[in-house]
Each structure stands twice: as C-alpha cells, then as structure tokens.
Amino acid sequence: MFPFLKHRSRSVHGDDALSSPEPIVAVTSTVETGDACTTLTVWRKSLLVSCEGFTVIDSNGDLIYRVDNYARTRPEELILMDKDGNSVLLMHRTKKITLVDSWGIYEAKDTNGEAKVPKRPIWYMRKNLKMNILSTKSNILAYVFSVPFDKKNSYVIKGSYRCKSCKIMHVPSNRTVVEIKRKEARTKGVRFGSDVFDLVVSPDFDSGLAMALVLLLDQMFSK
C-alpha cells in the first residue's frame, strides 16, 4: 500500500519529518527469545493533514496501524486503528486531574461505525511515581499490568522514550518482549530522526498492545 515507504525513506534530521528519497530498511531482530520478531516502522505523523498521530508499516511497506488525533492539546482518549480505520484498542486517562499519568487500555469493537468500549479495561499503564513527584533519576518509565491484576501479566518499561531507546520487560521472567529503538539505515549518510523508529515485538506479544504502549509513552514523555 505504501511502496514509497518500503523502498524509500527520507532523510530526517532532529525531529524533522521525512524529506528526501532514500531506502528504508526493515531489520529482522530478536528480543531475548531466539526467534524472529516482528519489526514495524513507526512514523510519528498522521496520514491526515489536520491531525497529529502515528503511521505504522510492516517490512513490506504496508499500512498496519494508524492513529489520527484531532485534539492537539492533552487528549483524554486515544484510538489505535487498523489499516481500514477499524478500532483495535482504545485508551482512556483514568483521571483528568492526577499527579501521576495513568491510562486504561480497552478492547474496542466497531458497531455501526462507532467504537464500542467495554466497562472495564484489559490493561492498565501507570507512569513511574518517582519520576513525577520525587524527581528521582530512574530508568523505569512506567508499569503495565492486566485487569484484573495478575502477576504473570505484569510488565515494566525501562529506558528513554525521548531517545527512542526503551525495553518492555515481562516482570516474572525478566525477559524483554518489546524494544523501541532508533531506525538504522544501511545507506551511508542517511540518518533518521526520533520521529521515525523501529518497534521490535516478540512473537508471543501482541503487536497492537505494543503500539498502544508506544502511544501512551508518547503522551507521558514527549512533552
């Protein structure tokens, strides 16, 4: 669907958008499993001119996920959509006024063109309290756990989102299941900015949930 993203990228300096044609290279990676992982290219830009958002493509240059955010300030809701515009996951802030940024992640199903949201979230993500209130230096960015709470389904996010160097780790096994990292180009002299990066997902982790966590990290740490 997007052959220009498969065969071409554009030189990005700093946080600038794509600008000149160069090859985009999708790198096959592993995330502490030994198995081939799914590597998606994430572009922090909506396909719609009037929106902010994200565009996510696979190694073939095909659109996988999209996010179109009309609220340019502090949104209370985010929707992750598939390539056809159908809602996949919906994210709500848990409280409008709070010292710690926290979100519920809901499985959304489209009904007559509208996203039907269950009463209870399936996942919950909370920013690390120490970073917000105590101003303590910590490599832990956020905590993720299932609803209802289950220790077997708990994760911690470490690293630096602004530098696009993060790992999502499964707490019980201490295993990295998702990695966010700068996109590397094989063409000499080509450099991608922080608005274009790789999302490397383990075979046993849902890529939709991984992208939802990226959206929430962006809300928590991009400003």
Side-chain angles (χ1 to χ4, degrees), residues 78-130:
L78 296 169
I79 300 176
L80 177 68
M81 297 179 289
D82 63 17
K83 62 180 181 179
D84 298 317
N86 298 314
S87 302
V88 178
L89 291 171
L90 188 147
M91 290 133 275
H92 270 293
R93 291 187 192 270
T94 54
K95 294 181 180 180
K96 292 186 177 181
I97 301 176
T98 179
L99 294 176
V100 181
D101 208 358
S102 56
W103 293 73
I105 303 174
Y106 301 78
E107 185 178 7
K109 294 183 179 180
D110 283 346
T111 304
N112 297 325
E114 295 184 359
K116 185 179 180 181
V117 184
K119 293 182 179 180
R120 296 181 61 184
I122 54 176
W123 294 95
Y124 182 82
M125 178 169 167
R126 178 175 60 81
K127 187 176 180 180
N128 186 5
L129 178 66
K130 292 182 179 179

Side-chain angles (χ1 to χ4, degrees), residues 8-13 17-23 189-192:
R8 297 167 178 253
S9 70
R10 302 183 180 184
S11 179
V12 182
H13 300 281
L18 301 173
S19 59
S20 65
E22 289 294 345
V190 175
R191 182 168 61 91
F192 297 104

Side-chain angles (χ1 to χ4, degrees), residues 137-152:
K137 290 184 178 180
S138 172
N139 68 334
I140 298 178
L141 302 178
Y143 300 93
V144 182
F145 50 88
S146 60
V147 180
F149 178 74
D150 183 356
K151 288 184 178 180
K152 294 180 180 179

